[in-house]
Amino acid sequence: MARSFEMDNAMVTDATTDNMLGRAPAARRFIRMVSLLVVAALAGCATTRAPHGAGDHSPAPTGATQDHSSAIYERGDAGYYAARFDGRTTASGETYDPHELTAAHRTLPLGTRVRVVDLDNHKHVTVRINDRGPFVSGRVIDLSNAAARKLKMRHDGVVPVTLQIVSEPH
């Protein structure tokens, strides 16, 4: 229902005022257009994974290759668990054992086996994902102490790595 008000001693409705000023319908069209563009932009951002090769930390699409052992899934920095985590419960329900070849990853299914290659010294180790993390910006994986020793990275603390999926849980 249109509202009425008095303007220069005449009764005028909102619709009449909009047409008289000529700006309100254009402003409404502009707002609608901007709203549609925002919705379209957000819909384009709704993918669950970045395209392979879209940046240093981009995962490859699931099932991109049959030979997981040679396909790089992700690139980024690896750290390792601090001693204070020894004996704590991991996301899989296991107790963290620094002597096991395990790791934490944010999104890979628990139980996934991943080959981690240190890009500085080219050493590699295969670990099983049994925890969630890392929760430090820029890192893609946190390794157990045993895995860090295999990569000879304990002195450095954080090293650039690639991750290759070896096998996924059944």
Side-chain angles (χ1 to χ4, degrees):
M1 173 177 253
R3 291 180 306 163
S4 298
F5 58 95
E6 190 172 336
M7 183 172 155
D8 295 329
N9 296 326
M11 290 301 289
V12 182
T13 64
D14 284 344
T16 307
T17 306
D18 287 349
N19 290 333
M20 285 174 39
L21 297 174
R23 289 183 294 190
R28 285 189 189 137
R29 281 192 300 271
F30 177 76
I31 291 171
R32 283 186 201 135
M33 183 176 68
V34 169
S35 298
L36 287 173
L37 289 174
V38 168
V39 169
L42 291 175
C45 295
T47 59
T48 57
R49 294 187 184 259
H52 182 59
D56 283 343
H57 303 291
S58 64
T62 302
T65 179
Q66 295 299 321
D67 181 15
H68 290 300
S69 63
S70 64
I72 294 176
Y73 173 79
E74 197 168 16
R75 223 179 273 272
D77 289 336
Y80 65 93
Y81 282 89
R84 71 175 188 257
F85 292 102
D86 189 7
R88 290 194 184 177
T89 304
T90 65
S92 66
E94 301 171 37
T95 300
Y96 169 66
D97 181 350
H99 305 291
E100 296 288 326
L101 296 176
T102 58
H105 190 274
R106 285 184 195 93
T107 59
L108 284 172
L110 298 174
T112 301
R113 298 184 64 77
V114 178
R115 183 174 191 229
V116 181
V117 179
D118 183 327
L119 296 176
D120 287 340
N121 64 17
H122 306 288
K123 294 192 178 298
H124 59 87
V125 64
T126 299
V127 297
R128 181 176 47 84
I129 304 299
N130 73 338
D131 203 4
R132 291 293 171 225
F135 300 107
V136 176
S137 179
R139 293 199 196 155
V140 296
I141 195 165
D142 271 341
L143 303 169
S144 65
N145 281 296
R149 277 194 305 277
K150 289 256 188 199
L151 291 181
K152 307 261 190 249
M153 65 168 280
R154 286 187 40 119
H155 182 272
D156 297 325
V158 176
V159 296
V161 296
T162 58
L163 306 181
Q164 300 167 326
I165 296 176
V166 174
S167 66
E168 295 182 23
H170 294 69

